[in-house]
Amino acid sequence: MGTGIKIPKAKQPPTRRISEDNKKVLIIHDNRIKEYTEKAHKIGEMIDKIDGYEAVIDKDHWNPGEKTSDTETNNREKEMVKKSDIAYRFIPPTSITKEERHDGSIREVRKVIKASKPLVEHYYQDAKDSPNRSLSEKNYKKRETIRTKKGEHIQSKIKETLDKVSKENNKNAD
């Protein structure tokens, strides 16, 4: 006899298409604002669903709330950059409270530039480029930008940009 209590089914995590041939896309984002961290991770999930691409996300390398030394953080960031073929930076709008952007994303971008990997910068609605950004970042030749407006579907734009960057990178490698 049943008790009349329904137990909800467990949600299955989305299946990831892991293949050696997939291009690895490092998701870089500011960690300070939870809402935008979640949006960046959702973009990582979108990228996982695109044939030929696989997201490399920080939550796969750090446990929630884990504190690490500067050296350990640096080593993990280097490893993530080394693993990736393309970097995808999600840039949220400036916070209402004028909270400073997280240094971690800036460090990761510098590591990507030093490794000479392609960089896609996705400016979310109303996000702006920092006026005091270094020239090496502003003038980086392997940099593509995506700007989104309210209500715009981003998935096709992401695929188009990743394909373009990937094709250019393959051309330069030959």
Side-chain angles (χ1 to χ4, degrees):
M1 292 195 117
T3 59
I5 299 172
K6 288 186 179 181
I7 300 172
K9 290 183 179 179
K11 290 185 180 180
Q12 293 290 325
T15 55
R16 296 178 84 180
R17 297 178 206 173
I18 299 173
S19 166
E20 291 299 316
D21 298 336
N22 282 351
K23 296 273 185 193
K24 310 286 188 282
V25 181
L26 173 63
I27 306 297
I28 299 173
H29 60 89
D30 296 328
N31 292 322
R32 291 255 166 93
I33 305 167
K34 186 178 181 194
E35 172 189 355
Y36 293 114
T37 297
E38 290 170 359
K39 286 183 191 276
H41 289 175
K42 282 190 177 152
I43 287 173
E45 290 171 12
M46 276 187 221
I47 289 171
D48 279 340
K49 292 177 184 172
I50 300 172
D51 279 337
Y53 296 99
E54 178 186 335
V56 176
I57 303 174
D58 58 357
K59 71 179 182 179
D60 297 336
H61 296 270
W62 272 273
N63 295 322
E66 179 183 7
K67 302 284 185 200
T68 55
S69 67
D70 290 345
T71 306
E72 180 64 21
T73 299
N74 187 40
N75 290 338
R76 288 186 193 184
E77 287 173 351
K78 279 182 185 176
E79 186 62 32
M80 289 185 339
V81 169
K82 188 178 177 181
K83 267 188 188 179
S84 67
D85 300 304
I86 300 169
Y88 186 99
R89 182 178 184 197
F90 180 78
I91 303 171
T94 308
S95 101
I96 295 168
T97 59
K98 302 295 182 201
E99 186 175 4
E100 287 292 312
R101 289 220 168 116
H102 193 253
D103 291 340
S105 61
I106 296 166
R107 279 194 320 268
E108 289 176 40
V109 166
R110 289 186 182 138
K111 287 177 176 86
V112 166
I113 291 171
K114 189 174 180 182
S116 191
K117 303 223 176 173
L119 174 65
V120 175
E121 292 185 324
H122 174 179
Y123 290 88
Y124 195 66
Q125 305 162 18
D126 301 326
K128 294 180 178 80
D129 201 351
S130 174
N132 43 333
R133 192 171 193 184
S134 71
L135 281 175
S136 63
E137 286 180 42
K138 284 181 182 177
N139 298 333
Y140 188 55
K141 288 181 177 23
K142 294 184 178 185
R143 180 175 158 227
E144 275 300 316
T145 58
I146 298 175
R147 296 202 180 266
T148 54
K149 297 177 183 106
K150 193 168 188 145
E152 191 172 25
H153 291 286
I154 189 66
Q155 193 161 5
S156 59
K157 218 173 194 181
I158 290 171
K159 182 179 178 0
E160 181 183 307
T161 306
L162 288 176
D163 287 344
K164 178 182 175 185
V165 166
S166 188
K167 191 181 289 183
E168 286 176 9
N169 197 39
N170 288 342
K171 213 185 297 180
N172 291 340
D174 294 339

